[in-house]
Amino acid sequence: MGHLSSMFNGLARSLSFKRGRKSGNCSGREAAEAMAKEAKKNDLILRTSGFINANGSNNFASVFSKRGQKGVNQDCCIVWEEFGCQEDMIFCGIFDGHGSWGHFVAKMVRESMPPSLLSNWQETLAESSLDPECDLESDKKHNRFDIWKHSYLKTCAAIDQELHEQHRKIDSFHSGTTALTLVRQGELIVVANVGDSRAVLATTSDDGSLIPVQLTVDFKPNLPQEAERIRQCQGRVFCLHDEPGVHRVWLPDEESPGLAMSRAFGDYCVKDFGLISVPEVTQRNITSRDQFVVLATDGVWDVISNQEAVEIISSTPDRTQSAKRLVECAVLGWKRKRRGIAMDDISAICLFFHPSPPSLQVHPLALLE
């Protein structure tokens, strides 16, 4: 009953906060946005490189972002500790913009997604508690995930529509952003992925070494199910001659826009031709063996393997520097493996699950020698 009590206590606190901020006519979204402002005042939200660790929390998050060689940094991040006024929840998100307005789109989605998700989660949770056919206590873990999944699907659909209809000052017709987000609620983590950023979990094997578990799919256009959907919508998927192996999404009759991912917010020029903003939503129950999860943009994964990332992070003595060290290793990787190619923006969030790390067996990386 503990998890359910926590959920409803948090809901009651947020609704009480809502009534306190407005005179009773405030929507759930407005209440969630007000909570975000309050959380920022209390240093519970991090939007730049740094780290966050609320007093008494089991979470420790390290964040770092570095501009590439293509202009303005179009990556952005957010970590919100005590998400929704609940001590056992944290929200992490990493966004990778593209196109001339991509950095604006990425920041807009970063600001919109947490309060929208929180509002939809509260609404879905309240509806489920009133449904006579829904027994929250009988299958707590399953129902918690269903509530989050429904909330995420509703949130992503609303954000993509808002971006198109309400944010006219941002040109999102030929620009967009990916979005990889995670919510930890107690021992449950829920991951929602739109695009080609990646989440990797580090867990301890039987021999005491750390092994990576990839939690998401890189939604590239050449994945069979993605390519089939795009082609059924009359879009095209192919590589340019000077980019062998880099599959992109193209309009039926012209070589535009050339997106290197099959899911994204914005990019309305190709939304009718197979690009979607529907997230893949998955879950995992954290055990004592699970140590941390890293969320990173493709600028990391283009040159760093899952195993290398886990080893880099786990061998960093100071947790506050873990995301920065991973990014710095990726910069070295670009210099050594992608010579002559402009380095992409590189960003990472490292979320640790336990207050103090156990003794782990790690091996030095050739990348760092």
Side-chain angles (χ1 to χ4, degrees):
M1 192 65 186
H3 286 304
L4 288 177
S5 297
S6 174
M7 283 195 291
F8 286 111
N9 286 343
L11 180 59
R13 287 174 64 193
S14 62
L15 290 176
S16 175
F17 181 88
K18 166 182 169 180
R19 287 192 292 268
R21 297 289 297 196
K22 298 283 184 175
S23 59
N25 297 320
C26 165
S27 72
R29 176 71 172 269
E30 290 171 331
E33 290 172 349
M35 279 189 282
K37 291 180 181 178
E38 193 72 13
K40 184 179 180 182
K41 290 180 183 178
N42 296 328
D43 295 325
L44 294 174
I45 291 183
L46 179 67
R47 290 185 173 89
T48 58
S49 296
F51 65 94
I52 189 167
N53 180 226
N55 290 334
S57 172
N58 288 331
N59 300 309
F60 186 99
S62 172
V63 182
F64 196 79
S65 181
K66 182 176 179 61
R67 180 173 63 88
Q69 298 171 325
K70 302 177 181 179
V72 63
N73 189 351
Q74 295 189 307
D75 287 358
C76 62
C77 310
I78 185 170
V79 176
W80 181 347
E81 180 70 289
E82 295 185 11
F83 185 50
C85 296
Q86 296 203 94
E87 294 179 357
D88 70 335
M89 278 174 39
I90 188 170
F91 175 91
C92 301
I94 199 161
F95 310 87
D96 184 356
H98 52 264
S100 58
W101 288 72
H103 50 300
F104 292 110
V105 179
K107 288 179 179 178
M108 194 288 293
V109 175
R110 178 188 66 180
E111 297 308 306
S112 297
M113 182 169 284
S116 179
L117 177 64
L118 181 57
S119 175
N120 285 321
W121 173 76
Q122 291 174 334
E123 181 181 328
T124 305
L125 181 61
E127 290 173 351
S128 298
S129 69
L130 298 175
D131 184 354
E133 297 182 2
C134 179
D135 187 351
L136 286 172
E137 183 63 28
S138 66
D139 192 0
K140 292 183 288 188
K141 291 181 180 179
H142 179 72
N143 281 306
R144 278 199 298 165
F145 173 66
D146 284 347
I147 289 169
W148 279 116
K149 184 175 182 178
H150 176 81
S151 303
Y152 258 119
L153 292 171
K154 188 175 180 180
T155 295
C156 290
I159 287 176
D160 205 47
Q161 184 175 357
E162 288 173 12
L163 182 61
H164 186 44
E165 296 178 354
Q166 298 179 22
H167 295 271
R168 299 293 187 180
K169 293 182 179 179
I170 299 177
D171 183 3
S172 53
F173 192 72
H174 290 99
S175 298
T177 186
T178 65
L180 171 60
T181 64
L182 174 151
V183 173
R184 178 184 181 183
Q185 182 183 26
E187 299 312 303
L188 173 71
I189 57 172
V190 179
V191 182
N193 185 33
V194 177
D196 58 356
S197 293
R198 184 187 304 171
V200 174
L201 177 101
T203 192
T204 312
S205 64
D206 291 337
D207 65 4
S209 62
L210 278 183
I211 55 175
V213 178
Q214 186 167 323
L215 300 179
T216 56
V217 174
D218 301 345
F219 283 114
K220 302 291 189 180
N222 59 316
L223 288 178
Q225 71 274 18
E226 301 294 291
E228 179 63 22
R229 183 189 68 245
I230 293 166
R231 290 176 179 131
Q232 285 187 356
C233 295
Q234 310 307 312
R236 297 181 296 160
V237 177
F238 62 85
C239 306
L240 295 176
H241 294 299
D242 60 348
E243 288 185 317
V246 181
H247 293 80
R248 297 182 180 275
V249 183
W250 309 91
L251 290 168
D253 302 316
E254 57 182 290
E255 289 193 0
S256 174
L259 293 180
M261 71 289 298
S262 57
R263 303 190 186 197
F265 291 100
D267 299 302
Y268 298 107
C269 66
V270 76
K271 274 285 162 65
D272 290 335
F273 301 99
L275 184 81
I276 61 174
S277 58
V278 179
E280 179 187 61
V281 187
T282 56
Q283 68 173 325
R284 183 180 177 96
N285 290 304
I286 303 169
T287 70
S288 59
R289 289 193 171 196
D290 298 333
Q291 304 303 323
F292 59 83
V293 63
V294 54
L295 282 63
T297 56
D298 62 333
V300 169
W301 308 116
D302 284 344
V303 293
I304 298 284
S305 70
N306 293 351
Q307 184 65 47
E308 287 172 336
V310 164
E311 293 181 356
I312 291 167
I313 295 166
S314 62
S315 62
T316 304
D318 184 355
R319 282 183 171 186
T320 66
Q321 300 298 308
S322 56
K324 181 179 180 181
R325 187 159 179 258
L326 177 61
V327 169
E328 289 174 342
C329 289
V331 171
L332 290 176
W334 274 87
K335 291 178 179 178
R336 296 178 181 180
K337 301 176 182 180
R338 296 291 185 101
R339 292 178 181 174
I341 301 176
M343 186 177 73
D344 198 0
D345 303 324
I346 306 174
S347 303
I349 300 173
C350 303
L351 175 64
F352 296 88
F353 300 140
H354 307 296
S356 58
S359 177
L360 300 172
Q361 296 179 15
V362 296
H363 307 283
L365 292 174
L367 182 63
L368 301 177
E369 294 176 348

